[in-house]
Amino acid sequence: MVPETENIESENYTITVTAEDREEYSRLDVFLAKKLPQFSRSTIRRLFDDEEISSESVKLSVNKMPAVGTVIEIEVPPPVTTDLIAENIPLDILFEDEHLIIINKPAGLVVHPAPGHYTGTLVNAILYHCGDSLKGIGAEKRPGIVHRLDMGTSGVMVVAKDQSTHEGLVSLFSVHDIERKYEAIVGGKPPVHSGTITTTIGRHPTHRQKMAADVKNGKKAVTHYKTLKQFNGAALMELRLMTGRTHQIRVHMSQMLHTPVLCDPIYGGSDSHLKRAPESVRQRLIDYPYQLLHAKELGFVHPITKEKLHFTAPPPEIFQAALQAFSELK
């Protein structure tokens, strides 16, 4: 079934190639991306492939500039709707402009629809909240997910509203030109106060729901860690990610430092580290289904406005309650 388009008009542009253009540019996609900075080169190439870029006088080639005087017509169709459902799910919004939105994701909220979670996700919530202000990614009207937090991980996330912002954020993440700090309550005592963990991370060879360090075909994963507070049987850790592998912090804490994130349902192992906690908190944590891991800080340069942005969000109440309980232990 072909998705229906929104009831809005296409965007149309007409550009005439000058002698100066021919002198400066050798490729059509580079030229058009410069003349229409709201569109990336990949978007220009997609429009070209979809025959939305044309000229009545000559057959165009994406990697070659046409002759001086060539009139180029560009039609940008409106983004098509997807089968994703907009849902009125409350969002804790830290910042929003026409290009992106920063939210404090609660633990338990899945980021993107997937088998078992087709509705009730962050993407469904963003679709509802943004409405017509969501310009879409590629040819679809959907938010641009640049990075993901596990369902059970809370904290600061950025979501792009348009293609250019999405590509700019992806570039920042790929070159690690972004500040990300997490906090976690872990069981036990880290062997050293601070350091850097460098491994590969990939799918566990026998447990397909898990990831593992130093496995065949894994990808490089780097985590800087520091112990902020050491308690009797637990520690508050600060983690800074230099890469963004699936379950990276959880794997590194459990497998490399042997101090699993508290309450981690996959990598936590025994709950013996909870035995020293006060009974009231211990019972809450035993039944708590998510790891006590929180994305506390996110900082980057806005890919469009070039403004320096930095956001922090406090951890959820149960995280703070556990922290307080451990700090009161003698």
Side-chain angles (χ1 to χ4, degrees):
M1 187 173 101
V2 178
E4 296 178 355
T5 59
E6 293 291 303
N7 187 26
I8 56 177
E9 296 181 352
S10 301
E11 298 178 33
N12 297 282
Y13 304 89
T14 300
I15 297 175
T16 301
V17 177
T18 66
E20 291 78 10
D21 296 331
R22 284 275 300 175
E23 180 71 23
E24 185 174 357
Y25 301 98
S26 60
R27 292 181 59 95
L28 178 60
D29 56 350
V30 176
F31 166 64
L32 292 178
K34 184 67 174 181
K35 292 295 183 181
L36 302 171
Q38 66 271 41
F39 303 119
S40 65
R41 283 178 64 187
S42 62
T43 299
I44 295 294
R45 288 193 293 269
R46 176 176 58 79
L47 291 171
F48 188 86
D49 291 340
D50 292 342
E51 298 183 348
E52 304 290 358
I53 298 176
S54 62
S55 174
E56 293 185 358
S57 61
V58 66
K59 181 176 175 59
L60 298 175
S61 172
V62 73
N63 58 7
K64 182 180 179 181
M65 280 292 288
V68 173
T70 300
V71 178
I72 302 171
E73 302 285 346
I74 303 104
E75 181 176 0
V76 183
V80 298
T81 57
T82 70
D83 55 1
L84 297 173
I85 302 170
E87 297 181 77
N88 187 8
I89 301 169
L91 292 172
D92 182 3
I93 299 172
L94 305 179
F95 173 85
E96 183 177 10
D97 65 10
E98 63 180 306
H99 306 289
L100 54 80
I101 183 170
I102 310 289
I103 62 103
N104 178 24
K105 186 188 88 69
L109 180 64
V110 176
V111 170
H112 199 282
H117 297 280
Y118 288 108
T119 61
T121 73
L122 176 61
V123 166
N124 300 111
I126 295 290
L127 283 170
Y128 182 92
H129 171 79
C130 293
D132 290 338
S133 69
L134 189 67
K135 296 187 175 79
I137 308 300
E140 294 185 329
K141 187 173 182 180
R142 60 179 176 84
I145 302 299
V146 184
H147 63 131
R148 301 189 185 193
L149 298 180
D150 297 334
M151 178 177 70
T153 300
S154 58
V156 187
M157 277 191 65
V158 57
V159 179
K161 291 183 177 182
D162 57 62
Q163 181 73 26
S164 296
T165 304
H166 182 259
E167 292 181 357
L169 289 170
V170 168
S171 178
L172 288 176
F173 274 85
S174 66
V175 299
H176 317 305
D177 195 9
I178 198 161
E179 182 180 5
R180 288 183 288 174
K181 287 185 181 179
Y182 292 70
E183 285 188 351
I185 304 178
V186 303
K189 181 178 181 180
V192 293
H193 179 269
S194 62
T196 299
I197 302 171
T198 302
T199 68
T200 60
I201 286 182
R203 187 67 57 184
H204 194 287
T206 57
H207 301 282
R208 302 307 295 170
Q209 299 302 313
K210 298 178 67 173
M211 308 298 287
D214 295 327
V215 294
K216 184 178 180 181
N217 298 324
K219 296 182 178 180
K220 185 178 181 180
V222 181
T223 304
H224 300 302
Y225 67 92
K226 178 170 64 175
T227 303
L228 299 179
K229 293 181 182 179
Q230 181 64 57
F231 308 114
N232 190 356
L236 175 64
M237 304 286 291
E238 178 184 274
L239 301 313
R240 289 191 299 114
L241 292 183
M242 301 307 294
T243 54
R245 307 305 174 203
T246 301
H247 298 177
Q248 179 174 320
I249 289 175
R250 299 163 67 186
V251 170
H252 276 171
M253 292 300 98
S254 177
Q255 188 173 341
M256 308 310 295
L257 295 187
H258 307 291
T259 53
V261 178
L262 211 64
C263 302
D264 192 323
I266 299 178
Y267 306 96
S270 170
D271 65 354
S272 60
H273 48 275
L274 296 179
K275 291 181 178 179
R276 294 182 179 274
E279 181 67 15
S280 59
V281 174
R282 186 174 72 86
Q283 289 301 324
R284 288 184 65 187
L285 294 181
I286 286 177
D287 294 332
Y288 187 63
Y290 309 121
Q291 61 277 2
L292 293 183
L293 176 61
H294 178 70
K296 183 179 181 180
E297 297 185 29
L298 180 66
F300 57 92
V301 175
H302 195 301
I304 306 302
T305 69
K306 306 306 178 184
E307 177 186 2
K308 290 185 178 180
L309 302 177
H310 188 269
F311 303 93
T312 62
E317 187 274 334
I318 193 168
F319 188 111
Q320 298 183 55
L323 202 59
Q324 181 64 28
F326 279 111
S327 67
E328 292 173 352
L329 292 176
K330 303 299 183 182

Short mmCIF file of all heavy atoms in Angstrom, two decimals, residues 149-180:
data_model
loop_
_atom_site.label_atom_id
_atom_site.label_comp_id
_atom_site.label_asym_id
_atom_site.label_seq_id
_atom_site.Cartn_x
_atom_site.Cartn_y
_atom_site.Cartn_z
N LEU A 149 18.58 5.23 24.09
CA LEU A 149 18.77 4.75 25.45
C LEU A 149 17.97 3.47 25.60
O LEU A 149 16.85 3.37 25.08
CB LEU A 149 18.29 5.78 26.47
CG LEU A 149 18.99 7.14 26.48
CD1 LEU A 149 18.38 8.05 27.54
CD2 LEU A 149 20.48 7.00 26.70
N ASP A 150 18.55 2.48 26.29
CA ASP A 150 17.82 1.24 26.53
C ASP A 150 16.49 1.55 27.22
O ASP A 150 16.35 2.56 27.90
CB ASP A 150 18.64 0.31 27.41
CG ASP A 150 19.94 -0.12 26.77
OD1 ASP A 150 20.00 -0.13 25.52
OD2 ASP A 150 20.90 -0.45 27.50
N MET A 151 15.54 0.66 27.07
CA MET A 151 14.22 0.86 27.65
C MET A 151 14.32 1.23 29.14
O MET A 151 13.63 2.13 29.62
CB MET A 151 13.36 -0.39 27.48
CG MET A 151 11.98 -0.26 28.10
SD MET A 151 10.92 -1.71 27.83
CE MET A 151 11.74 -2.91 28.89
N GLY A 152 15.16 0.55 29.87
CA GLY A 152 15.26 0.76 31.31
C GLY A 152 16.15 1.90 31.72
O GLY A 152 16.23 2.23 32.91
N THR A 153 16.85 2.52 30.78
CA THR A 153 17.75 3.63 31.09
C THR A 153 17.00 4.95 30.94
O THR A 153 16.33 5.18 29.94
CB THR A 153 18.97 3.62 30.16
OG1 THR A 153 19.67 2.37 30.32
CG2 THR A 153 19.92 4.76 30.48
N SER A 154 17.14 5.81 31.92
CA SER A 154 16.50 7.12 31.88
C SER A 154 17.50 8.17 31.44
O SER A 154 18.69 7.92 31.37
CB SER A 154 15.95 7.47 33.28
OG SER A 154 17.01 7.45 34.23
N GLY A 155 16.99 9.39 31.14
CA GLY A 155 17.90 10.50 30.92
C GLY A 155 17.73 11.28 29.64
O GLY A 155 16.75 11.13 28.91
N VAL A 156 18.74 12.13 29.38
CA VAL A 156 18.67 13.15 28.33
C VAL A 156 18.90 12.53 26.95
O VAL A 156 19.87 11.79 26.74
CB VAL A 156 19.71 14.26 28.59
CG1 VAL A 156 19.51 15.40 27.59
CG2 VAL A 156 19.60 14.79 30.01
N MET A 157 18.00 12.87 26.03
CA MET A 157 18.11 12.42 24.64
C MET A 157 17.80 13.56 23.71
O MET A 157 17.00 14.44 24.02
CB MET A 157 17.11 11.29 24.35
CG MET A 157 17.54 9.91 24.74
SD MET A 157 16.39 8.70 24.03
CE MET A 157 16.69 8.92 22.25
N VAL A 158 18.43 13.55 22.52
CA VAL A 158 18.12 14.53 21.48
C VAL A 158 17.48 13.80 20.31
O VAL A 158 17.88 12.69 19.95
CB VAL A 158 19.39 15.30 21.02
CG1 VAL A 158 20.46 14.33 20.51
CG2 VAL A 158 19.04 16.31 19.94
N VAL A 159 16.46 14.43 19.72
CA VAL A 159 15.77 13.87 18.56
C VAL A 159 15.68 14.96 17.50
O VAL A 159 15.30 16.11 17.80
CB VAL A 159 14.35 13.38 18.93
CG1 VAL A 159 13.63 12.82 17.70
CG2 VAL A 159 14.42 12.32 20.03
N ALA A 160 16.02 14.63 16.27
CA ALA A 160 15.98 15.59 15.16
C ALA A 160 14.59 15.66 14.54
O ALA A 160 13.88 14.65 14.47
CB ALA A 160 17.01 15.22 14.11
N LYS A 161 14.24 16.87 14.07
CA LYS A 161 12.95 17.05 13.41
C LYS A 161 13.06 17.08 11.89
O LYS A 161 12.05 17.00 11.19
CB LYS A 161 12.32 18.38 13.87
CG LYS A 161 11.86 18.40 15.31
CD LYS A 161 11.18 19.73 15.59
CE LYS A 161 10.62 19.81 16.98
NZ LYS A 161 9.92 21.10 17.23
N ASP A 162 14.29 17.25 11.37
CA ASP A 162 14.45 17.34 9.92
C ASP A 162 15.74 16.66 9.49
O ASP A 162 16.59 16.32 10.32
CB ASP A 162 14.43 18.80 9.46
CG ASP A 162 15.48 19.65 10.14
OD1 ASP A 162 16.69 19.36 9.97
OD2 ASP A 162 15.13 20.61 10.85
N GLN A 163 15.86 16.47 8.19
CA GLN A 163 16.98 15.72 7.63
C GLN A 163 18.33 16.37 7.91
O GLN A 163 19.28 15.70 8.32
CB GLN A 163 16.78 15.57 6.12
CG GLN A 163 17.88 14.77 5.41
CD GLN A 163 17.79 13.29 5.69
OE1 GLN A 163 16.72 12.78 5.98
NE2 GLN A 163 18.91 12.59 5.61
N SER A 164 18.45 17.67 7.71
CA SER A 164 19.74 18.34 7.89
C SER A 164 20.21 18.25 9.33
O SER A 164 21.39 18.00 9.60
CB SER A 164 19.63 19.81 7.45
OG SER A 164 19.36 19.91 6.07
N THR A 165 19.29 18.46 10.27
CA THR A 165 19.64 18.36 11.68
C THR A 165 20.04 16.94 12.04
O THR A 165 21.01 16.70 12.77
CB THR A 165 18.46 18.81 12.55
OG1 THR A 165 18.08 20.13 12.17
CG2 THR A 165 18.84 18.80 14.02
N HIS A 166 19.31 15.99 11.51
CA HIS A 166 19.62 14.58 11.77
C HIS A 166 21.02 14.23 11.30
O HIS A 166 21.81 13.62 12.03
CB HIS A 166 18.59 13.69 11.07
CG HIS A 166 18.77 12.23 11.32
ND1 HIS A 166 19.36 11.39 10.40
CD2 HIS A 166 18.47 11.46 12.38
CE1 HIS A 166 19.39 10.16 10.89
NE2 HIS A 166 18.86 10.17 12.08
N GLU A 167 21.35 14.64 10.08
CA GLU A 167 22.67 14.32 9.55
C GLU A 167 23.76 15.05 10.32
O GLU A 167 24.85 14.50 10.55
CB GLU A 167 22.73 14.68 8.06
CG GLU A 167 21.83 13.79 7.21
CD GLU A 167 21.91 14.12 5.74
OE1 GLU A 167 22.61 15.07 5.38
OE2 GLU A 167 21.26 13.41 4.95
N GLY A 168 23.49 16.30 10.75
CA GLY A 168 24.47 17.02 11.54
C GLY A 168 24.73 16.37 12.88
O GLY A 168 25.88 16.26 13.33
N LEU A 169 23.68 15.88 13.53
CA LEU A 169 23.85 15.19 14.81
C LEU A 169 24.55 13.85 14.64
O LEU A 169 25.40 13.48 15.44
CB LEU A 169 22.48 14.99 15.46
CG LEU A 169 21.80 16.26 15.99
CD1 LEU A 169 20.36 15.96 16.40
CD2 LEU A 169 22.57 16.83 17.18
N VAL A 170 24.20 13.13 13.59
CA VAL A 170 24.88 11.86 13.32
C VAL A 170 26.38 12.09 13.15
O VAL A 170 27.21 11.32 13.66
CB VAL A 170 24.29 11.19 12.06
CG1 VAL A 170 25.18 10.03 11.60
CG2 VAL A 170 22.89 10.68 12.33
N SER A 171 26.74 13.16 12.45
CA SER A 171 28.16 13.49 12.27
C SER A 171 28.84 13.78 13.61
O SER A 171 29.95 13.32 13.86
CB SER A 171 28.29 14.69 11.33
OG SER A 171 29.65 15.06 11.17
N LEU A 172 28.16 14.53 14.48
CA LEU A 172 28.74 14.84 15.79
C LEU A 172 28.97 13.58 16.60
O LEU A 172 30.02 13.40 17.23
CB LEU A 172 27.80 15.78 16.56
CG LEU A 172 27.69 17.23 16.08
CD1 LEU A 172 26.65 17.98 16.91
CD2 LEU A 172 29.03 17.94 16.17
N PHE A 173 28.00 12.68 16.59
CA PHE A 173 28.14 11.43 17.33
C PHE A 173 29.23 10.56 16.74
O PHE A 173 29.97 9.90 17.46
CB PHE A 173 26.81 10.67 17.36
CG PHE A 173 25.89 11.09 18.48
CD1 PHE A 173 25.04 12.17 18.32
CD2 PHE A 173 25.88 10.41 19.67
CE1 PHE A 173 24.19 12.56 19.34
CE2 PHE A 173 25.03 10.78 20.71
CZ PHE A 173 24.19 11.87 20.55
N SER A 174 29.35 10.54 15.42
CA SER A 174 30.31 9.65 14.77
C SER A 174 31.76 10.06 15.04
O SER A 174 32.65 9.22 15.08
CB SER A 174 30.06 9.60 13.26
OG SER A 174 30.31 10.86 12.66
N VAL A 175 31.99 11.37 15.23
CA VAL A 175 33.35 11.84 15.52
C VAL A 175 33.53 12.12 17.00
O VAL A 175 34.54 12.68 17.42
CB VAL A 175 33.71 13.10 14.69
CG1 VAL A 175 33.65 12.79 13.22
CG2 VAL A 175 32.79 14.27 15.03
N HIS A 176 32.53 11.73 17.82
CA HIS A 176 32.58 11.86 19.28
C HIS A 176 32.69 13.32 19.72
O HIS A 176 33.24 13.60 20.79
CB HIS A 176 33.74 11.04 19.86
CG HIS A 176 33.89 9.69 19.26
ND1 HIS A 176 32.86 8.78 19.24
CD2 HIS A 176 34.94 9.08 18.64
CE1 HIS A 176 33.27 7.66 18.63
NE2 HIS A 176 34.51 7.82 18.25
N ASP A 177 32.19 14.24 18.89
CA ASP A 177 32.24 15.66 19.24
C ASP A 177 30.97 16.03 19.99
O ASP A 177 30.22 16.94 19.61
CB ASP A 177 32.39 16.50 17.97
CG ASP A 177 32.80 17.93 18.27
OD1 ASP A 177 33.13 18.21 19.45
OD2 ASP A 177 32.77 18.77 17.35
N ILE A 178 30.74 15.32 21.08
CA ILE A 178 29.53 15.48 21.86
C ILE A 178 29.83 15.00 23.27
O ILE A 178 30.62 14.07 23.47
CB ILE A 178 28.37 14.69 21.22
CG1 ILE A 178 27.02 15.18 21.74
CG2 ILE A 178 28.52 13.20 21.41
CD1 ILE A 178 25.86 14.79 20.84
N GLU A 179 29.26 15.65 24.26
CA GLU A 179 29.52 15.30 25.65
C GLU A 179 28.36 14.49 26.20
O GLU A 179 27.20 14.93 26.17
CB GLU A 179 29.72 16.56 26.50
CG GLU A 179 30.04 16.27 27.95
CD GLU A 179 30.24 17.52 28.79
OE1 GLU A 179 30.02 18.64 28.24
OE2 GLU A 179 30.59 17.40 29.97
N ARG A 180 28.67 13.30 26.68
CA ARG A 180 27.64 12.44 27.27
C ARG A 180 28.14 11.90 28.60
O ARG A 180 29.17 11.25 28.67
CB ARG A 180 27.32 11.26 26.35
CG ARG A 180 26.54 11.61 25.12
CD ARG A 180 26.20 10.38 24.30
NE ARG A 180 27.37 9.83 23.63
CZ ARG A 180 27.36 8.68 22.94
NH1 ARG A 180 26.26 7.96 22.89
NH2 ARG A 180 28.43 8.27 22.32
#
